[in-house]
Amino acid sequence: MDSAVPVRKARLRLKLPWRLPATRGGRRRALWVLMGACVLALLPATWVYAAGAPRVRAMADVPSAPVAMVFGAGLWEGEPSPYLAHRLDAAAELYRAGRVRVILVTGDNSREDYDEPDAMRAYLTRRGVPDDRIVSDFAGFDTWDSCARAERVFGVKRAVLITQGFHIRRALALCEAAGIDSYGVGVAAKHDVTWYAGGAREVFAAGKAALDAFVRPRPSFLGPHEPGVERALAAARG
């Protein structure tokens, strides 16, 4: 008769990369460290909100400015995405109301098959904005680049910024840091997956924004001065 073989139950142990302190005082200190890290992580987002929020306005009461800046927001089969279309609609409305005289469209044209500024220009002209009142920045690769190039390359000193509500405060904070006296319109958007993703992204983007505002780096592509905005404003006066 075979003898019974004892079976040992294996105990699963969760191996953590760290252990909670054994003492109450040690746990209290660990909690304070964790809370401090959370506060530091949220400081950039707090700065973005504090710097941008006072300059957000509704369409009806945004101050007049020579230039409206519209930030790129992606293309769908060569046409502005719904989010970008809403921004452009707001810019066209401000132009027709005489609140701005020139529209600067700033976006990504890093590939031959992807051209945000030209798609934005075509959309605006179909809605009655004269072509000679539209200026294209083909190297607005991110918000800081768009703001820095608007001031350094195109000579923009005062502008109305147009983007979605979750992005407008960061855009205002960065354009102010770049030297542009700006107010912003946060256009309405459907609270879909894209909206929530954009809002979540802003928490992480705030860290880069704070660094850009402090360091003020050169844009990815700077280039020489471009007189497009000056010419468009002269045409508007004429």
Side-chain angles (χ1 to χ4, degrees):
M1 180 177 178
D2 294 338
S3 59
V5 178
V7 177
R8 295 181 179 178
K9 294 182 179 180
R11 294 182 179 179
L12 296 177
R13 294 182 179 179
L14 180 62
K15 294 184 179 180
L16 298 175
W18 47 267
R19 291 183 179 180
L20 289 173
T23 64
R24 181 178 297 178
R27 289 194 291 270
R28 186 181 295 114
R29 286 191 294 272
L31 178 61
W32 279 109
V33 169
L34 178 61
M35 291 175 62
C38 291
V39 169
L40 287 175
L42 291 175
L43 276 178
T46 303
W47 168 77
V48 164
Y49 189 91
R55 290 180 168 265
V56 178
R57 295 289 187 272
M59 285 284 290
D61 61 4
V62 68
S64 297
V67 178
M69 282 182 61
V70 184
F71 297 82
L75 303 178
W76 288 11
E77 297 182 353
E79 292 294 322
S81 68
Y83 271 56
L84 181 52
H86 291 159
R87 300 179 187 187
L88 294 166
D89 289 338
E93 183 178 341
L94 287 176
Y95 176 82
R96 289 192 295 265
R99 309 292 285 277
V100 299
R101 301 195 300 274
V102 172
I103 300 175
L104 174 62
V105 293
T106 172
D108 187 353
N109 181 215
S110 58
R111 309 190 312 266
E112 289 186 5
D113 61 341
Y114 189 84
D115 189 344
E116 281 185 324
D118 273 353
M120 294 161 78
R121 176 187 289 272
Y123 187 96
L124 287 170
T125 57
R126 290 197 300 268
R127 279 148 186 82
V129 181
D131 187 72
D132 64 355
R133 303 293 194 275
I134 305 168
V135 179
S136 299
D137 177 9
F138 295 96
F141 301 133
D142 61 20
T143 306
W144 170 252
D145 279 12
S146 293
C147 292
R149 281 178 53 82
E151 197 279 333
R152 299 187 196 186
V153 176
F154 293 92
V156 175
K157 301 300 181 186
R158 189 157 57 92
V160 174
L161 313 184
I162 303 174
T163 181
Q164 264 69 38
F166 57 76
H167 177 230
I168 190 61
R169 293 167 185 82
R170 179 161 61 93
L172 283 163
L174 287 174
C175 278
E176 288 287 330
I180 300 173
D181 179 23
S182 54
Y183 284 86
V185 173
V187 298
K190 181 181 178 181
H191 288 197
D192 55 8
V193 173
T194 303
W195 189 91
Y196 285 108
R201 178 180 177 273
E202 287 302 305
V203 177
F204 299 98
K208 180 180 181 300
L211 183 63
D212 286 338
F214 179 75
V215 177
R216 301 186 184 184
R218 285 170 56 93
S220 300
F221 181 79
L222 184 58
H225 172 72
E226 295 189 16
V229 169
E230 297 163 5
R231 290 174 179 169
L233 287 172
R237 287 191 295 268

